[in-house]
Amino acid sequence: MRADGHAPGRPAPGGRDAGELLRRCARDVVDVAEGIRAVSARTGAALSAPPLAASARRRPRTGLAAQWALLRALTNKEGLGGPPTSAPKGIGQVFGAAGEVLGRENLAARIAVTSLRLRIAALLADHPEFARDPGMRRLMETVTADRDPEAVRALRALFRDQGAQRALSGLAPLMGELLAVRTLLDEDPHNGETGWAPAAGREQSVDQPQGIDVPGLAHTDEEQGAAEAVDLTDQEKQFIAIEGSLLGFLRNIEVLSTDGRILVQNVRGPDGVVRYVVQAPGMTPGRPRNHSPQDVVGAWRNLFTTDSPYTRSVLLALADYGIPRGAELALIGHGEGGIALMNLAQDEQFCRTYRVTHVVAVGSPIDAMKPADPRTWVAGITNQHDIVPVPDGRRAGFLFDPHPHWYRVDYTGPTREFPLCHMLREYIEHLRTVVPQAREDVDAALTPYRGPIVRTQAYQLKDRAHPPEGYPFLTLPTTSIPTTAGPVDVPVRYYDSSAAHLCFPVSADAARGLLPGATWLTPSRLGRRALAVLSLYEHRCSTIGPYTEIALSLVVDDLWRPRPYDVAADLLRRVDLRRTGRYVLSLAVTSDEARVVAREIWGQPAMRTTAEADLTGRRIDVRSRDLGLTVEGRLGPGVRCPESDWILYGRRAAGTVRTLVRAHGRLRLHRGTGVRLRLDTAAAEPLAGQLRRLGIHRARPRFVLSCPQFLLHRSAGALLPR
């Protein structure tokens, strides 16, 4: 069953598309929220109007009663529930602030969240694959929970925290869907920092901040971007275009990749005039981008304000490049780069400094923007399956066009999966094969820039506003190790993970029978029993991508000098000095990259499978149809434990691989009585057989170690001669 209540693949009643019906409902609901917010603003204005204040002084009995009634209507939870800034200063702010402390949210914001629920349901109707992504699923569960105040506060926290790259990575497919409700979540209805793009079908107007000061760029150090001229590598220079053309400029952007660089080039046109082309790449979804404004957070800010670190960094690069005043510029960008360059084009002071002749945005949500110079020729190229360029709920292919004079190419590409359909190489291939007429039309418009390239300079953009993602725990030196899936940086870093470790006392003889034949691998004993651990992980963001992990391991003694109860003494040692560890018997992961890394770097017997995990709350829910495994239950009260660093052992060739794992998070110890492990009768080997031989295939764990959110890094495996 879909989120809209209809079976997948079936049209809604009347033969209309279910996703479009949900979007129309969402637009109607957000119109209601907008109307309520306008009523709140008018009520606040009436409450602070001088005639009402004078009436209260002249006739306190009736005037004060009227003021009190307006104040209650504005701030009471049964009324508009307005924020403190919507009320006049003094007693109104006190009541409004008290409402915020007590957890009340304004009515407009709560209705806006209802609209967001409908938009997410529409998104899932068109793209059900998003429901399988751990980060997206966690976001959707937060927003679609039947607890409006918590959902509003969670979204508001994401909007405020510009360094929350980990959480915002999951928002990339929903950027356009969230645009229409962001302003309604703003506590200050008079805040001009963020404009709102209304529902499709009406003329759009966005309140933008004041123009950017191109010469001085007077901003606080916290918000200041930066740009540094850098050289291209010899290999990159071989692929940089030497002649101006649309595909040449787009291939230049592809060469730059998404590592925070832009490209500025001089082109001598057919008329002999030297013009300038600025080329800006987009972002990489799902991965943290350290030190650079060219990330998910930067894209989010570019949507709502012209004054973003990415935009200011581009301005600094242009100032360093030495473009003369009044020179003609063409701005060409992909994704986030298109947004940032369009922000420049709609800044009046920038357009007074330079003559912006062309803007070409590929896969960018620019419909809510308008260039300051009406002579600027704008082209927007979007794939209908690409969700990033969809503005304020208007999906690609919608009949309403807010800019009928722009050159728009809205085509249906053969690639449906996100983010593959958003990648620039797909757009380049489609312009070459699917929509060649669009390429010819844009090239014709870019005729003044169809000449030899006479100068090329790359700039590294930097964001000084925030420390690197995971700082300081995950800021450590790395090295690249080749694998069959490509080079992998180690230690492998996990920026957002959840885990639950189910601990079972098992027969020492059964445990010994599952270990390799080497005599130096012996299970650690606590009395007469050994300890088996079933580890469940939900990795939402890591340097090898998001994936779910299910691992069965046994606690083993020191490989050279096994001692009784050494596992207990090891807990007092630093993790790098520990002699005991956990030998991984079976490992199931949901991505090929994770499987290759586990096998080739850590020496663990990994297999690819499908699995779904929810470990972020007090309830554990992990299911894998391929493995025939289900773990579910509710955790009871727990006690806080120290950080859970550990050693993992695996086998590669004739040696034992020792991997150091460090974690940082809130680990808690629970009794395992509320958690149950079940196996289907036809469960797949080898994990199912090992669980049965240990006698825990239908058992409850003795205790559970849980951590709903933590950071983690795993070193490269060290090969031991044992």
Side-chain angles (χ1 to χ4, degrees):
M1 189 70 67
R2 276 180 175 169
D4 60 356
H6 297 88
R10 297 181 183 178
R16 290 176 292 181
D17 178 72
E20 181 55 32
L21 283 176
L22 288 166
R23 286 187 177 88
R24 291 179 181 176
C25 292
R27 287 193 289 271
D28 293 340
V29 172
V30 87
D31 284 343
V32 173
E34 183 192 22
I36 291 174
R37 190 175 188 217
V39 170
S40 297
R42 291 196 296 270
T43 304
L47 187 57
S48 58
L52 184 60
S55 174
R57 288 193 298 270
R58 290 194 304 268
R59 299 179 180 84
R61 187 172 183 179
T62 57
L64 288 177
Q67 280 189 320
W68 179 251
L70 286 173
L71 181 62
R72 283 178 55 84
L74 184 63
T75 61
N76 194 278
K77 65 179 180 180
E78 282 85 16
L80 297 171
T85 50
S86 61
K89 293 183 179 180
I91 189 66
Q93 284 189 314
V94 173
F95 274 88
E100 290 292 316
V101 171
L102 294 174
R104 288 210 301 265
E105 297 294 343
N106 69 78
L107 182 61
R110 297 180 69 174
I111 292 179
V113 171
T114 301
S115 171
L116 181 57
R117 291 195 183 108
L118 291 169
R119 294 171 189 272
I120 290 177
L123 184 69
L124 290 178
D126 293 337
H127 294 267
E129 67 272 13
F130 287 152
R132 299 190 294 269
D133 180 76
M136 283 299 300
R137 194 194 67 249
R138 186 182 185 193
L139 169 69
M140 291 183 292
E141 289 173 353
T142 302
V143 176
T144 58
D146 192 19
R147 299 186 301 275
D148 287 343
E150 288 84 350
V152 173
R153 285 195 293 273
L155 284 172
R156 184 173 292 154
L158 291 177
F159 292 138
R160 282 174 174 169
D161 185 5
Q162 298 163 10
Q165 299 180 7
R166 186 175 57 249
L168 288 176
S169 294
L171 290 174
L174 280 176
M175 278 187 174
E177 306 294 336
L178 291 170
L179 181 58
V181 301
R182 194 276 181 187
T183 301
L184 292 167
L185 299 179
D186 190 357
E187 289 97 330
D188 186 357
H190 308 292
N191 187 359
E193 176 189 358
T194 302
W196 178 56
R202 300 196 301 269
E203 182 65 26
Q204 304 204 8
S205 63
V206 179
D207 297 329
Q208 296 294 353
Q210 297 299 317
I212 301 174
D213 183 5
V214 177
L217 285 170
H219 302 282
T220 63
D221 290 340
E222 180 183 1
E223 298 295 333
Q224 179 70 52
E228 178 184 357
V230 295
D231 293 329
L232 297 170
T233 66
D234 292 338
Q235 183 178 5
E236 289 173 337
K237 290 177 181 178
Q238 296 176 7
F239 296 97
I240 293 295
I242 59 175
E243 192 83 12
S245 68
L246 174 62
L247 290 188
F249 295 138
L250 294 181
R251 289 194 180 102
N252 290 347
I253 296 175
E254 187 182 18
V255 169
L256 294 177
S257 184
T258 53
D259 59 358
R261 291 179 297 169
I262 66 167
L263 200 68
V264 185
Q265 290 183 312
N266 290 16
V267 182
R268 190 177 301 277
D271 54 0
V273 177
V274 174
R275 297 177 177 87
Y276 302 84
V277 184
V278 183
Q279 299 145 66
M283 65 180 179
T284 301
R287 295 287 185 93
R289 310 304 301 172
N290 296 339
H291 305 296
S292 173
Q294 196 173 329
D295 52 22
V296 180
V297 180
W300 187 263
R301 298 196 65 198
N302 278 321
L303 275 174
F304 302 125
T305 173
T306 59
D307 189 16
S308 69
Y310 195 165
T311 305
R312 288 194 300 277
S313 299
V314 174
L315 283 171
L316 288 169
L318 297 183
D320 181 81
Y321 191 79
I323 299 178
R325 190 178 185 89
E328 294 185 357
L329 268 68
L331 309 178
I332 300 177
H334 168 245
E336 181 192 358
I339 306 171
L341 295 182
M342 193 64 185
N343 281 337
L344 292 179
Q346 66 178 355
D347 184 81
E348 293 183 1
Q349 185 168 347
F350 181 81
C351 290
R352 286 195 298 267
T353 305
Y354 308 114
R355 167 77 170 93
V356 180
T357 60
H358 297 75
V359 176
V360 180
V362 178
S364 304
I366 61 170
D367 282 349
M369 302 176 179
K370 183 179 180 181
D373 188 344
R375 299 171 296 173
T376 301
W377 187 85
V378 180
I381 302 173
T382 55
N383 178 355
Q384 292 188 14
H385 299 310
D386 184 3
I387 296 179
V388 170
V390 180
D392 68 283
R394 186 185 75 85
R395 66 176 180 176
F398 195 72
L399 295 179
F400 172 72
D401 189 351
H403 303 288
H405 56 286
W406 287 7
Y407 182 82
R408 295 198 58 87
V409 181
D410 190 16
Y411 69 96
T412 303
T415 306
R416 294 183 57 92
E417 294 79 11
F418 183 90
L420 184 61
C421 61
H422 178 65
M423 292 183 176
L424 184 57
R425 66 170 178 265
E426 293 293 317
Y427 274 104
I428 292 174
E429 180 63 20
H430 296 166
L431 284 168
R432 194 179 62 83
T433 58
V434 180
V435 284
Q437 185 61 46
R439 184 194 74 240
E440 296 173 3
D441 293 344
V442 176
D443 270 335
L446 290 174
T447 297
Y449 298 88
R450 298 292 304 277
I453 307 293
V454 296
R455 181 189 172 193
T456 297
Q457 180 62 61
Y459 284 90
Q460 180 74 51
L461 307 185
K462 298 183 179 180
D463 186 359
R464 296 183 236 169
H466 303 285
E469 177 72 3
Y471 176 84
F473 181 73
L474 294 180
T475 50
L476 66 166
T478 62
T479 185
S480 181
I481 295 181
T483 68
T484 56
V488 173
D489 289 338
V490 292
V492 176
R493 286 142 290 150
Y494 298 82
Y495 295 88
D496 184 12
S497 297
S498 299
H501 304 279
L502 283 59
C503 302
F504 301 86
V506 297
S507 166
D509 293 336
R512 181 66 187 87
L514 293 177
L515 292 172
T519 57
W520 49 82
L521 275 172
T522 57
S524 297
R525 296 190 182 214
L526 296 174
R528 297 182 178 180
R529 310 283 282 177
L531 187 65
V533 181
L534 183 65
S535 299
L536 313 170
Y537 297 94
E538 183 184 4
H539 301 303
R540 290 175 290 273
C541 183
S542 77
T543 53
I544 57 174
Y547 68 98
T548 299
E549 176 181 349
I550 301 174
L552 177 64
S553 60
L554 290 172
V555 179
V556 295
D557 284 331
D558 181 10
L559 304 184
W560 277 269
R561 298 184 182 88
R563 299 186 179 102
Y565 301 99
D566 200 20
V567 62
D570 246 5
L571 295 177
L572 303 177
R573 301 187 181 104
R574 284 180 4 209
V575 63
D576 53 331
L577 298 179
R578 290 178 188 171
R579 302 182 178 92
T580 62
R582 286 162 33 203
Y583 183 86
V584 179
L585 298 174
S586 291
L587 176 65
V589 294
T590 57
S591 77
D592 281 327
E593 189 173 5
R595 179 187 62 82
V596 170
V597 170
R599 281 185 172 273
E600 299 182 14
I601 296 181
W602 299 323
Q604 299 172 0
M607 56 183 172
R608 171 76 185 274
T609 186
T610 60
E612 297 179 358
D614 184 2
L615 305 170
T616 57
R618 297 291 293 271
R619 183 171 182 80
I620 294 177
D621 189 2
V622 178
R623 303 171 188 274
S624 174
R625 182 175 299 179
D626 292 347
L627 298 176
L629 174 71
T630 301
V631 181
E632 58 184 353
R634 184 171 181 81
L635 297 172
V639 296
R640 182 75 181 274
C641 295
E643 301 288 356
S644 57
D645 299 338
W646 61 89
I647 299 295
L648 293 180
Y649 288 114
R651 294 286 291 176
R652 186 168 65 226
T656 302
V657 181
R658 181 179 186 266
T659 303
L660 177 64
V661 181
R662 291 185 180 272
H664 176 62
R666 293 178 174 269
L667 185 69
R668 299 187 71 85
L669 177 66
H670 307 264
R671 294 180 60 189
T673 54
V675 180
R676 185 66 178 266
L677 183 152
R678 292 197 304 271
L679 279 179
D680 294 343
T681 54
E685 295 283 351
L687 179 62
Q690 293 168 344
L691 291 172
R692 289 192 177 98
R693 286 193 286 276
L694 291 172
I696 58 177
H697 56 292
R698 293 185 182 276
R700 297 182 185 273
R702 179 66 56 86
F703 56 90
V704 177
L705 291 166
S706 72
C707 196
Q709 187 173 19
F710 66 101
L711 305 175
L712 178 77
H713 63 79
R714 299 183 182 180
S715 67
L719 189 61
L720 305 178
R722 295 291 278 175

